[in-house]
Amino acid sequence: MRKLWIEIRSSLWFVPGVLVLAAIILGLGFVELDVTFADQLKPLGWLPFLNAGAEGARGMLTAIASSMITVAGVAFSITIVTLSLASTQYTPRILRNFMRDITNQVVLGVFVGIYAYCLIVLRTIRGGAEGGGFVPLLAVFFGVLLALVGIGYLIFFIHHIAASIQASYILDAITKETTEAIDKLFPQELGQPVEDESAAVAVVDEKTWHPIPAFATGYLQSVATETLMQRAAEWKTVLRLNSEVGEFVVEGAPILSSARALEDDALASLPALFAIGNFRTVDQDAGFGVRQIVDIALKALSPGVNDTTTAVSCLDYLGAILSRLARRRMASPYRQDGEELRVVAPAPAFGDFVAKSLDEIRLCAQGNVTIHLSMLRLLNRVAGITDDPVRRRILLEHGRLIVDLADRAVAAPYDRERINGEIALVRNALGGVAGLPQLTHTPSTGMPGAGKAGL
């Protein structure tokens, strides 16, 4: 069910289909109202909005239906073009974000739904020559109102599409989705040192594990960890996940191991606890949100694009994600039921997120002073949020990597002074851990233009 819900949320057919069904029910309901209250509506026929003959009503609804199905086709075309543009300009990983956009789904559903409503009402209109003339006045009037609503949605859709392909909009949407996943995965604030897990490690090392093969090939999208723990307690065993959420698993390869052999009925119930699909999702995989932003930054830094400003924006949003993580207690891989160890599930550490955020960008930004400065500012922001010495040492190590790269790649004295200024700020924010070195071999020529009257 969880996998089905993930697929439905990222589809372009479910919400439009629901709205079409609602429009059909609405059309039938208004026609029924016209039939039920026909005698009460006849005295109101002089009102302009309720005064319509059979031919006039047919012509109006036909025009509305034909225009709406045309607009729906244009809207679908715009959506496909937007998906193609976003894929080539940013990264293919964000296509599912556009497909999951509820605004796009609702707009497409409104256009097709109005078309379906008009078809339903058109079928009920009869002229006098067709035996017992009937014009559903309320239904026709409501069809005109829906046409006006469709015009408003068209204007809004054009604005939304124009906004949604901007880099800042995309990065903000990815960051919000990722921070929501972080809040769900790591709900506890960081308030005390990491617990000693040596006893749990010893228990894991001494056990003999029975592998349980994966039932499908694809990305591990989610795991029902609470239910998995309940099953482990029920079966009086310890279950160990061999793959982290977001990793690619192969059918037949061990995805799970048990400390004792399980019965056939127990093995048959395990696939329902895993969602495996052909794409990654952010729901239980916050690292995938980081991956999308890093991909956009790498595309921006490529020689063919050379968009440093977008890469700086990516680092700003990555800093927001890491700042959120810096305040959270990371999930322990060892899950207990009372005093008994029940589940061992690999969990990402803070250092993993920092490495995913900075390593590839650092390697692709050699000699780009603006990116070096932005990465140091990122470390400065995150270091000012966390007091944990382990996390500060991780930030310090990445700071040293950035400084080492800048020391080798940046030659201009002016640029080196700017970088040294940011290094000093990071050093102050990381107070309490070993120092961060500044750039070493500054050329002796001084600042550009020093001692000269001009060019």
Side-chain angles (χ1 to χ4, degrees):
M1 293 300 296
R2 182 176 298 176
K3 179 182 177 182
L4 178 62
W5 175 241
I6 290 173
E7 293 178 350
I8 286 177
R9 284 181 61 194
S10 58
S11 69
L12 287 174
W13 60 265
F14 179 72
V15 172
V18 170
L19 290 177
V20 167
L21 181 61
I24 293 173
I25 296 173
L26 195 63
L28 295 174
F30 268 102
V31 171
E32 187 63 28
L33 284 176
D34 277 294
V35 173
T36 304
F37 298 101
D39 295 334
Q40 289 85 344
L41 290 173
K42 283 181 180 179
L44 300 177
W46 61 272
L47 294 173
F49 57 85
L50 289 179
N51 185 9
E55 291 302 319
R58 278 201 189 103
M60 183 179 299
L61 290 180
T62 300
I64 294 172
S66 59
S67 61
M68 283 301 149
I69 197 63
T70 302
V71 170
V74 172
F76 274 101
S77 300
I78 292 174
T79 302
I80 298 302
V81 170
T82 302
L83 293 176
S84 176
L85 178 64
S87 174
T88 55
Q89 184 172 353
Y90 300 110
T91 170
R93 256 68 62 188
I94 65 172
L95 290 183
R96 196 158 297 276
N97 296 1
F98 280 90
M99 296 176 67
R100 289 181 59 176
D101 190 341
I102 190 65
T103 301
N104 294 337
Q105 298 175 6
V106 169
V107 169
L108 296 175
V110 166
F111 293 147
V112 182
I114 294 174
Y115 172 75
Y117 176 89
C118 292
L119 289 185
I120 294 298
V121 178
L122 271 171
R123 180 64 183 84
T124 64
I125 299 176
R126 298 189 302 274
E130 299 172 277
F134 173 72
V135 178
L137 298 179
L138 286 178
V140 173
F141 174 66
F142 193 75
V144 176
L145 293 182
L146 286 180
L148 297 178
V149 171
I151 294 173
Y153 267 96
L154 176 61
I155 297 172
F156 171 72
F157 178 70
I158 294 173
H159 164 77
H160 177 72
I161 286 295
S164 63
I165 60 175
Q166 298 179 32
S168 57
Y169 183 96
I170 296 172
L171 293 172
D172 181 67
I174 297 173
T175 301
K176 287 179 178 177
E177 187 179 25
T178 305
T179 51
E180 288 175 4
I182 289 171
D183 292 342
K184 180 173 61 177
L185 295 172
F186 315 118
Q188 290 182 296
E189 295 286 346
L190 181 65
Q192 61 185 29
V194 179
E195 297 178 0
D196 182 15
E197 298 175 344
S198 56
V201 173
V203 171
V204 171
D205 290 341
E206 71 182 12
K207 290 185 177 296
T208 301
W209 297 98
H210 301 268
I212 299 171
F215 60 92
T217 296
Y219 291 98
L220 182 59
Q221 296 174 334
S222 64
V223 180
T225 52
E226 295 300 325
T227 307
L228 197 66
M229 182 176 292
Q230 295 172 8
R231 294 288 189 272
E234 177 185 341
W235 301 329
K236 295 181 172 54
T237 186
V238 179
L239 297 176
R240 183 180 68 182
L241 276 169
N242 296 332
S243 299
E244 188 178 336
V245 174
E247 291 184 2
F248 192 82
V249 297
V250 179
E251 183 177 3
I255 189 176
L256 191 68
S257 298
S258 174
R260 71 177 186 87
L262 299 178
E263 303 294 335
D264 290 341
D265 57 344
L267 292 173
S269 67
L270 286 174
L273 306 183
F274 300 89
I276 298 177
N278 57 2
F279 54 88
R280 293 175 67 179
T281 64
V282 181
D283 295 331
Q284 289 189 6
D285 182 14
F288 182 52
V290 173
R291 176 74 265 169
Q292 294 178 67
I293 297 178
V294 170
D295 282 349
I296 295 175
L298 297 180
K299 192 69 172 285
L301 291 173
S302 63
V305 178
N306 197 23
D307 184 4
T308 301
T309 302
T310 296
V312 170
S313 297
C314 292
L315 287 168
D316 291 337
Y317 281 101
L318 287 171
I321 293 173
L322 293 178
S323 297
R324 195 68 160 239
L325 281 165
R327 295 190 293 263
R328 299 285 167 174
R329 182 192 301 282
M330 309 303 287
S332 171
Y334 304 99
R335 318 288 175 85
Q336 292 183 341
D337 177 27
E339 298 296 328
E340 294 291 330
L341 178 66
R342 289 304 180 194
V343 173
V344 181
F350 178 75
D352 297 332
F353 282 102
V354 178
K356 290 176 182 177
S357 300
L358 296 180
D359 282 353
E360 293 183 65
I361 297 178
R362 186 186 69 252
L363 295 175
C364 290
Q366 184 171 354
N368 192 322
V369 178
T370 303
I371 300 300
H372 294 324
L373 293 171
S374 296
M375 288 191 288
L376 290 171
R377 292 190 191 107
L378 182 154
L379 296 180
N380 185 22
R381 295 191 196 103
V382 179
I385 290 175
T386 179
D387 294 326
D388 182 73
V390 175
R391 298 185 178 187
R392 287 194 161 197
R393 280 194 293 271
I394 292 171
L395 297 174
L396 173 66
E397 181 58 34
H398 282 273
R400 286 174 173 167
L401 292 172
I402 295 169
V403 171
D404 179 67
L405 179 65
D407 201 22
R408 290 183 283 108
V410 178
Y414 171 71
D415 294 330
R416 297 174 72 85
E417 286 300 320
R418 293 172 63 198
I419 294 173
N420 279 334
E422 289 296 333
I423 291 173
L425 295 177
V426 176
R427 185 189 297 114
N428 292 335
L430 290 173
V433 296
L436 184 66
Q438 288 193 313
L439 302 188
T440 55
H441 54 278
T442 304
S444 58
T445 54
M447 295 291 293
K452 296 181 180 179
L455 293 180

